[in-house]
Amino acid sequence: MKYGIVIVSHSVKIADGVKDLISEAAPSLSITVAGGTDENAIGSSLEKIQKAFDENIGDEILAFYDLGSSKMNLEMFMEMTDKVVHKYDVALVEGAYTAATLAEIDSPLETIENSLKPLIIK
Amino acid sequence: MKIELNDAEKWINLFVDKLEKNKAELNELDTAIGDGDHGTNMDRGAKAVKDAFAKKTPVDLSELFKTTAFAMIQKVGGASGPLYGTAFLDMSKAAKDNDDLSALVQIGADGIKRRGQSDVKMKTMIDVWQPIADDLKQGPLTDQQVTDALESTKDMVATKGRASYLEEKSAGHLDPGSQSSAYLFESLIEVIGG
Ligand SMILES: [Mg+2]
């Protein structure tokens, strides 16, 4: 599979919820999540992020996050990994939904990124 | 000046002691302009660093900073985890062939800037790290320099981090990350002398 999606959120429920939502639009896509800290509290965990990327079967990953430390941990992971990761500074729900919908029908990256542009908020 | 492994080890141990001792104070500062967990987060990191040192004594400067970095990254939880983690990880990489203290602290400061996409005057820990890195290039560090850097964050309006959501209301409070960073450099002075 060309693209997979990884969701990084401060909250377990947000991460799982976004996955539930976008899976409807992209039932065949590999979507993995890293929500909350290792203790499932509010926060982010590099270990969970690593796991989400390990479990994802996409050749390249489209990554979405919510707030500050999710982004920082995601970027720290990106400096450590050999995987191709595209990180988008967009509204989490709308961005992930847009990307999932387009990746599901094998849209090229350029198309996906053009559709994400208006959703950049951070 | 060069930093030796045994001094660096004392430095980090004093730092994590201070984090544990001042957990309530850091929480209080973070309650004013954040979510009140900086002390709890750093205390968790401090205990993780102690555990890691107890499990395996670092054999060189690079390993010492790396162990510190991973304990912080894994256990701190908030934004300070990746920030301190990146600082110590970058210092660890550099320490493989560089044991100059002021160079290492500047590398740590640069790592925090990269990770947080931040710079001075944004009311973040950079407002301690960068002036201290500059002071260290000039000569021995003093407690006054650390205090001055920390106090400079009080009147700043935050433009990065959670406190930035408060806009003008963030002024009048010390930045919690700057306070924990001040503990780091006060610990350094206790080891190498002012
Ligand atoms: Mg906090």
Side-chain angles (χ1 to χ4, degrees), chain B residues 129-175:
Chain B
W129 278 76
Q130 187 54 60
I132 295 303
D134 292 337
D135 292 335
L136 273 169
K137 287 168 205 159
Q138 306 302 320
L141 199 58
T142 66
D143 279 318
Q144 191 59 49
Q145 287 170 324
V146 178
T147 305
D148 288 348
L150 172 61
E151 289 293 329
S152 79
T153 68
K154 191 162 191 173
D155 294 330
M156 290 179 189
V157 172
T159 53
K160 266 281 164 183
R162 199 184 294 255
S164 64
Y165 297 126
L166 296 173
E167 298 177 343
E168 277 72 28
K169 289 200 187 72
S170 63
H173 304 276
L174 288 178
D175 170 54

Side-chain angles (χ1 to χ4, degrees), chain A residues 6-8 32-40 43-55 69-70 72-74 76-77 80, chain B residues 70-77 82:
Chain A
V6 167
I7 305 294
V8 185
T32 53
V33 303
T37 65
D38 292 339
E39 288 81 29
N40 293 326
S44 64
S45 150
L46 185 65
E47 214 172 307
K48 280 193 174 174
I49 292 171
Q50 264 160 342
K51 199 160 160 274
F53 277 85
D54 285 345
E55 287 168 355
S69 75
S70 297
M72 287 191 249
N73 275 316
L74 176 59
M76 185 172 289
F77 172 80
M80 296 172 174
Chain B
F70 275 98
M72 295 270 176
I73 290 166
Q74 280 160 4
K75 288 294 166 208
V76 171

